[in-house]
Amino acid sequence: MSQAMESMWEMELGLMPFVLELFSAAIAYVYLLRRKGRFLSRVLLVCLLAALSPAYMMIFLPRENPGMEIVLLLHALFSVAAFGVLIFGIWFCFEVRLREALYCATCAYITEHVVYCLRILLDALTKTDAWDGGSVWYYLLHAAVYLLAYHVVAKRMVQNHHYETRSLHSVGLMVLALFIVYLMSVVSFTHGLGWFHAIYALVCCGFMLLSQRNQVEQLRMQKELHTKEQIWRQNKAQYEMSRETIEIINRKCHDLKHQIQALKGIENIKRQKEVVAGIEESVMIYETIKNTGNAILDTVLTEKGLLCRENHVRLNVMADGRLLDFMDDIDLYTLFGNALDNAVEANLRVAGERYVNLQIREKVGMVLIRMENPYAGEIRMADGRLLTEKADKEEHGFGSRSIRHTAEEYGGLVKIETENQIFVLRIMIPLTSVTT
């Protein structure tokens, strides 16, 4: 039997396992995607198409002495057909664009090729065929690599049931690189250099997958940094406005004091009491002005105090603001602004007593910040981090992340406690950060 004939039968026998391997690898990359309606029916249809694809190739396989070029061409066409069925299957079963389906299918093909290369190398090292199809080691190797691909690559690339849009721009380069690897594998196959192909293909495919994961993480970090910069600018502008507002409040309080003194000279006692009572009532709102020893902290506490009074939330403050003098003005404003906003918002859902208790004190070289407020409903936590219940998780979840990020910038840490419908935020920052 000619070498071409032997190769033909080898590939013919390997068609179905290849389809199974390719579609199994795709599970790692589509698991987190949102499914379309009648999902199981769609999957069954795609599986039927995938099962029939090798049959199409077998129909056209010549049975007597085919040339090696014909065999390789048919194998290449089959690989393209299986790849196309996978792209269609992902697009047909999941709520993704065609570009995302192509991206997932490419990653799956690369992952399948990684396992293929590992099998070649392991067979060469052990000088056995224990890693070939049908053996226990074959299934264990595929399962291990696909699970690793899911946790190391796919899980970090999907956000909100979609792949990062900008990362999809590189799908063309990935397909081109995969095509080159395939051509090199064909050349190595025809010259009996499978082990050589396995080494460089393993390196190339692994590099492509890891570079994609790193690219997505970098894009995500850039997006988060951009969001933080926008919030920083907004908070800076808000701080400037708040400072001007408080200066106006102070002047108004000063003027009202003199007015009250003047009104005491009114001869009509009843009228005098009415006017004075009205003015004093209007002045009560300005009791929210705090004096902690830190001008920035006073600004944010006064601003949020007005917000609390407007929403019938009692704000209790016991704070030595001088302990926070080492912090940057915007960092300080952002930290307490976000924390107080979250506390007030939680109070708005409470039917009973509404309050926010804030303490800032020093203990054993640490600045201890403790904020406490009631809440209604259920708070979800993951790895000690607060999960937002809002629809726009990317924007609204940034407040809690910003608090943690600001504390960590000064070598501190954040701890959240939820018990008996009381939310407690603890922030610990070392005073040594003043000199670092």
Side-chain angles (χ1 to χ4, degrees):
M1 185 180 290
S2 66
Q3 182 182 1
M5 198 68 180
E6 292 177 359
S7 301
M8 178 191 70
W9 286 110
E10 287 178 4
M11 288 185 292
E12 189 171 337
L13 292 173
L15 295 181
M16 284 306 298
F18 168 74
V19 174
L20 182 61
E21 293 165 7
L22 181 60
F23 277 69
S24 298
I27 295 175
Y29 295 95
V30 301
Y31 183 75
L32 296 176
L33 301 180
R34 184 175 284 111
R35 301 169 183 177
K36 290 183 177 179
R38 298 181 180 178
F39 178 72
L40 291 179
S41 300
R42 294 173 181 268
V43 170
L44 289 175
L45 178 59
V46 173
C47 289
L48 179 62
L49 290 175
L52 292 175
S53 55
Y56 297 144
M57 178 181 172
M58 293 178 185
I59 294 174
F60 296 103
L61 277 173
R63 297 300 172 180
E64 295 183 359
N65 300 321
M68 178 62 73
E69 295 80 4
I70 299 297
V71 174
L72 294 176
L73 176 61
L74 289 174
H75 188 272
L77 291 176
F78 166 73
S79 299
V80 172
F83 187 60
V85 172
L86 179 59
I87 295 172
F88 168 77
I90 296 173
W91 174 81
F92 184 66
C93 296
F94 298 90
E95 293 184 2
V96 295
R97 293 161 296 172
L98 191 60
R99 193 181 190 84
E100 281 183 272
L102 175 60
Y103 189 81
C104 290
T106 304
C107 290
Y109 203 121
I110 292 172
T111 304
E112 185 278 333
H113 205 68
V114 167
V115 184
Y116 170 72
C117 295
L118 286 174
R119 283 167 43 204
I120 293 176
L121 293 176
L122 289 171
D123 280 342
L125 290 173
T126 59
K127 297 181 180 180
T128 65
D129 57 355
W131 303 93
D132 290 343
S135 69
V136 175
W137 295 111
Y138 166 86
Y139 292 109
L140 289 177
L141 179 63
H142 278 270
V145 173
Y146 295 161
L147 282 173
L148 186 65
Y150 169 74
H151 287 286
V152 176
V153 182
K155 194 175 182 180
R156 302 188 182 185
M157 295 169 64
V158 177
Q159 189 172 20
N160 296 327
H161 306 289
H162 285 280
Y163 284 85
E164 172 63 47
T165 304
R166 286 176 291 179
S167 67
L168 300 180
H169 296 320
S170 59
V171 67
L173 292 176
M174 291 179 64
V175 173
L176 178 60
L178 184 61
F179 177 71
I180 294 173
V181 168
Y182 180 82
L183 287 181
M184 295 295 290
S185 69
V186 171
V187 174
S188 300
F189 176 79
T190 55
H191 291 82
L193 298 175
W195 60 271
F196 176 74
H197 158 70
I199 293 175
Y200 76 75
L202 183 62
V203 173
C204 291
C205 292
F207 175 77
M208 279 192 287
L209 289 175
L210 292 178
S211 64
Q212 285 302 300
R213 185 202 67 177
N214 294 336
Q215 181 187 20
V216 169
E217 289 184 344
Q218 288 178 357
L219 289 172
R220 196 169 294 161
M221 289 177 61
Q222 289 175 3
K223 189 174 183 179
E224 189 165 307
L225 184 63
H226 178 67
T227 304
K228 186 176 187 299
E229 184 179 357
Q230 285 184 323
I231 292 178
W232 182 87
R233 293 183 184 278
Q234 291 172 359
N235 285 337
K236 183 178 180 181
Q238 188 177 10
Y239 163 68
E240 296 294 339
M241 292 175 62
S242 299
R243 187 175 61 180
E244 294 175 0
T245 302
I246 289 174
E247 289 177 356
I248 294 173
I249 291 174
N250 289 334
R251 290 197 301 269
K252 187 66 175 177
C253 285
H254 181 75
D255 294 341
L256 285 172
K257 287 180 182 179
H258 290 286
Q259 291 173 8
I260 291 172
Q261 291 295 327
L263 284 171
K264 289 180 180 179
I266 296 177
E267 295 181 358
N268 189 320
I269 302 300
K270 184 178 179 181
R271 175 60 180 163
Q272 179 191 49
K273 289 181 178 180
E274 290 176 354
V275 175
V276 171
I279 294 177
E280 287 179 342
E281 184 178 352
S282 65
V283 173
M284 289 295 290
I285 194 172
Y286 301 118
E287 290 184 352
T288 57
I289 296 177
K290 305 298 180 183
N291 184 13
T292 65
N294 183 293
I296 307 302
L297 183 59
D298 293 345
T299 298
V300 67
L301 288 177
T302 300
E303 177 191 356
K304 303 306 177 183
L306 294 172
L307 180 63
C308 286
R309 187 176 182 85
E310 181 181 349
N311 291 282
H312 308 289
V313 178
R314 190 176 73 255
L315 177 60
N316 305 314
V317 178
M318 293 181 60
D320 183 357
R322 294 170 297 180
L323 295 172
L324 301 173
D325 286 344
F326 63 89
M327 292 186 66
D328 177 79
D329 291 354
I330 301 301
D331 287 341
L332 183 60
Y333 186 89
T334 302
L335 176 68
F336 284 93
N338 283 322
L340 287 166
D341 282 340
N342 291 343
V344 173
E345 185 175 358
N347 270 283
L348 296 180
R349 303 189 185 99
V350 175
E353 183 183 9
R354 297 178 175 181
Y355 64 88
V356 178
N357 294 333
L358 173 63
Q359 294 180 355
I360 303 175
R361 60 190 179 90
E362 178 192 359
K363 186 175 181 180
V364 197
M366 300 284 290
V367 178
L368 304 181
I369 303 169
R370 185 182 187 276
M371 187 175 295
E372 173 186 310
N373 61 268
Y375 69 91
E378 182 181 356
I379 291 181
R380 296 186 299 132
M381 305 280 293
D383 299 325
R385 297 174 184 266
L386 182 65
L387 297 180
T388 180
E389 297 178 353
K390 299 182 180 180
D392 191 352
K393 298 180 184 297
E394 190 170 316
E395 293 296 330
H396 290 289
F398 197 85
S400 298
R401 294 201 304 272
S402 177
I403 293 172
R404 190 177 297 274
H405 177 74
T406 302
E408 290 174 352
E409 275 190 339
Y410 291 89
L413 56 90
V414 175
K415 183 179 180 182
I416 294 174
E417 300 172 1
T418 56
E419 188 175 354
N420 299 324
Q421 298 301 111
I422 302 298
F423 182 92
V424 179
L425 171 67
R426 298 181 187 272
I427 304 174
M428 291 166 278
I429 302 177
L431 281 172
T432 52
S433 58
V434 178
T435 58
T436 56

